Amino acid sequence: MGDLSGQRVLVVGGSSGLGLATAQAAARLGATVTVASRSQEKIDAAVGAIGTGAEGRVLDTTSDAAVEAFFAGGTVYDHVVVTAAQTKAAAVRELPLADAFASMNSKFWGAYRVARAAPIRDGGSLTFVTGVLAIRPRKGAAIQGAINAGLEALAQGLALELAPVRVNAVSPGLVVTPLYDRMAAEARQAMYDRAAATLPAGLVGRPEHIATQILAFIANPYATGSTVYIHGGSALV
């Protein structure tokens, strides 16, 4: 995958799930990793899981002032990954507008704020995590599909605007993450089993599967303006 020794990697949303897996993978390749999240408790746990050299900082990407202050210190990153998002899904006529606005503010505008403010070295990279609903719509999740599609279009536009910084998007399908810990264990496992039975890949994604593609974008100097779908074939069935 490449040697990241001497490079600084920021993972926004790196305290759990896909973000934590990405931070751990980058650290194993020698990067100096910073994880950013809204929860100091989760940050502390993530830094401990990543190991020596990792650091964490609190960041609320829904706040203009917080994002600007976070990047005001002058640190220039080699690579920035944005996985942070809190969204709610329901049918458009049922989802309260406040929840729709908040979902857009968290995932789309949060990534937009980071892209606007983060100092990234020439030849470095910015990677968004989107989702397969951008190309495989589902009833009751129109807002999430629209947000993901918007982020993928934003990545393409930023690949032109921010060049020679490279900008890409990784779009996962169903992945086993703490997002689903709110479900009863039996119901959660049944959901995973049903999904695995229908997917061409025959399994549900793991955070490390998505981290592998993010690290590939970081390492490949020819990759920019691209979206790669890592969904186990869910867009095909």
Side-chain angles (χ1 to χ4, degrees), residues 54 106 111 120 127 142 160 191 212 217:
S106 174
I120 304 172
T127 306
L160 299 174
M191 177 186 70
T212 295
F217 274 146

Side-chain angles (χ1 to χ4, degrees), residues 16-183:
S16 65
L18 310 181
L20 178 56
T22 300
Q24 290 173 311
R28 287 194 295 268
L29 294 175
T32 298
V33 175
T34 300
V35 294
S37 171
R38 294 196 302 177
S39 167
Q40 185 66 59
E41 182 180 0
K42 289 183 178 180
I43 288 171
D44 292 342
V47 168
I50 295 164
T52 305
E55 64 175 13
R57 295 176 60 193
V58 172
L59 175 61
D60 178 3
T61 60
T62 66
S63 166
D64 296 351
V67 173
E68 291 172 5
F70 184 93
F71 292 110
T75 300
V76 176
Y77 296 94
D78 295 282
H79 307 285
V80 175
V81 180
V82 184
T83 70
Q86 289 192 334
T87 62
K88 293 184 178 181
V92 167
R93 293 186 177 182
E94 299 172 5
L95 184 69
L97 281 175
D99 288 344
F101 291 147
S103 296
M104 193 77 177
N105 191 31
S106 174
K107 189 165 186 177
F108 180 86
W109 288 112
Y112 188 101
R113 290 182 183 97
V114 172
R116 189 171 184 270
I120 304 172
R121 69 161 173 85
D122 289 354
S125 69
L126 171 63
T127 306
F128 299 142
V129 173
T130 61
V132 73
L133 289 173
I135 59 169
R136 181 68 161 152
R138 178 170 57 82
K139 289 174 64 175
I143 184 66
Q144 291 179 318
I147 292 168
N148 292 333
L151 268 179
E152 292 171 13
L154 180 64
Q156 292 182 332
L158 289 176
L160 299 174
E161 288 192 13
L162 300 184
V165 172
R166 298 175 292 106
V167 187
N168 298 287
V170 176
S171 182
L174 179 62
V175 178
V176 177
T177 72
L179 174 67
Y180 300 105
D181 287 352
R182 291 169 285 185
M183 299 175 65

